Amino acid sequence: MNHDRLEKLYRLSLLALPGNFRREYGAEMVLLFHDSYRDTLKLEGKQGVNKMIVLFLADVAQTAIKERIVALLDTPPRGRQPMTGLIRGFLIGALLGALSNLPFNQSFGQLLLDLIMGGVTGAIIGTIMAAMNIARVDSTTTTSRDYQLRILGTFFVGITGMLAGGSLGILTGSLLVTCLEGVITSAPADIMIALSCGLFALFTLLGVLSGAHLGACAGARVRVPMRQS
Amino acid sequence: MKELSAQNPEKFLPLTPPVFHILLALSDAELHGYGIKQEIEQRTSGQLVMGPGTLYGAIKRLLKQGLIKDAGDRSDPPDDERRRYYKITPLGYRVTQAEAQRLALLVEQAQAKKLLSNRQPGANLESAS
């Protein structure tokens, strides 16, 4: 691959980074890539460039994980009002829940149970995140009502994030199980059941965790009016 | 809030190797990102190779902690691209000194235990086993 294509690939990989970090340092990272490419090609040839690309892409992946965790733990209080986030999250959750239920003929009770379980887990994670966020609030300029509002806002957004994520997980799991059943026809029934259950559980869990992340992020961004006590 | 320059450097210790190397690189010169990377690679004979993400992640944290600061954009030959330069702050300088002293003390202790000698690295391990 030539320089332009490799630079495009590198620019594309930068999309994995959190938006703020990318906006602040993305251009400089591309410039550094450009400089490194020029010097590596001069000193080590194409083989050196290949090694450099692998190292740089691995570095982006590592940085993306690290910076996303940092962003999650260190999000300043800003963004939408709690009620807007709550309503929007609930509508998305309900829509995804309905979509996942329709094609696979799940019972309403089963879906409701999944959503409640996801919601409870999300609420717990959301509350933990709220507590972590509150630890950063300056106690001299914040009233106890602000704390309560922040906890409540994060709690509700956490729940809705989990509902949305859980539903998406159920949908993906169900789709994969259906595909698997179509592809593997000769396997014993008990193996198929075990595989299906495993996939379903895995994707539900992944969905629930992504939802928790989403909810916690949104919750941490809930704007709470700060007043002098 | 306490002034940044009045902060105790000890509270920033120990520094991670990338952070210490970035501060070392900036201790006697204002450099841009690639300049820092090159300086570190030359000084460590290529033993520490830092990717752009690791470098700018560390720079972001150092800026936030007030250990380095933005020295402005300027053009850099031969390609005349505008680059952001960074420089160390007085607090950053004191933190670097404190970390160097901490490491020197560790080396002294290793010498006292006869772990450092002119022999090849790992020779002590072989004789011990």
Side-chain angles (χ1 to χ4, degrees), chain A residues 115-127:
Chain A
L115 295 183
I116 290 169
M117 290 297 286
V120 169
T121 320
I124 293 166
I125 295 173
T127 311

Side-chain angles (χ1 to χ4, degrees), chain A:
Chain A
M1 270 203 269
N2 62 20
H3 172 265
D4 290 348
R5 280 192 181 176
L6 286 176
E7 191 180 311
K8 265 187 197 166
L9 177 70
Y10 187 65
R11 277 180 192 276
L12 199 68
S13 75
L14 295 186
L15 290 174
L17 297 169
N20 286 344
F21 188 84
R22 196 172 59 243
R23 277 188 290 279
E24 186 69 27
Y25 298 106
E28 285 191 72
M29 286 172 75
V30 172
L31 208 55
L32 198 148
F33 171 87
H34 177 77
D35 290 336
S36 299
Y37 178 92
R38 184 195 58 213
D39 290 351
T40 310
L41 189 64
K42 204 181 336 178
L43 295 171
E44 298 170 44
K46 280 191 174 176
Q47 221 169 4
V49 169
N50 290 339
K51 194 178 153 194
M52 185 200 96
I53 293 294
V54 173
L55 282 174
F56 273 35
L57 291 179
D59 173 70
V60 171
Q62 189 192 343
T63 308
I65 294 169
K66 194 173 174 181
E67 291 302 325
R68 281 190 182 278
I69 292 171
V70 169
L72 179 65
L73 297 176
D74 203 22
T75 311
R78 62 185 174 84
R80 300 183 194 99
Q81 293 293 322
M83 282 311 287
T84 318
L86 172 67
I87 293 166
R88 192 175 296 192
F90 189 80
L91 287 176
I92 294 171
L95 182 69
L96 285 172
L99 280 175
S100 66
N101 194 31
L102 277 176
F104 305 107
N105 201 23
Q106 288 176 335
S107 71
F108 179 73
Q110 190 189 342
L111 180 72
L112 198 65
L113 188 69
D114 285 336
L115 295 183
I116 290 169
M117 290 297 286
V120 169
T121 320
I124 293 166
I125 295 173
T127 311
I128 292 170
M129 292 306 299
M132 290 168 77
N133 202 31
I134 282 164
R136 290 186 178 80
V137 176
D138 185 355
S139 59
T140 56
T141 59
T142 312
T143 64
S144 59
R145 180 159 167 72
D146 291 338
Y147 285 141
Q148 288 163 8
L149 271 173
R150 194 180 285 265
I151 285 186
L152 205 67
T154 310
F155 185 84
F156 280 123
V157 180
I159 288 177
T160 51
M162 289 296 294
L163 291 179
S167 308
L168 195 63
I170 291 167
L171 180 67
T172 318
S174 308
L175 271 171
L176 267 178
V177 168
T178 313
C179 292
L180 200 72
E181 281 168 356
V183 173
I184 308 170
T185 48
S186 56
D190 49 350
I191 291 179
M192 279 306 296
I193 290 168
L195 258 175
S196 304
C197 290
L199 271 176
F200 196 81
L202 177 71
F203 278 88
T204 305
L205 183 69
L206 277 177
V208 163
L209 285 177
S210 325
H213 177 94
L214 202 79
C217 279
R221 283 164 193 263
V222 165
R223 186 195 292 277
V224 172
M226 294 291 170
R227 292 181 295 272
Q228 295 289 332
S229 56

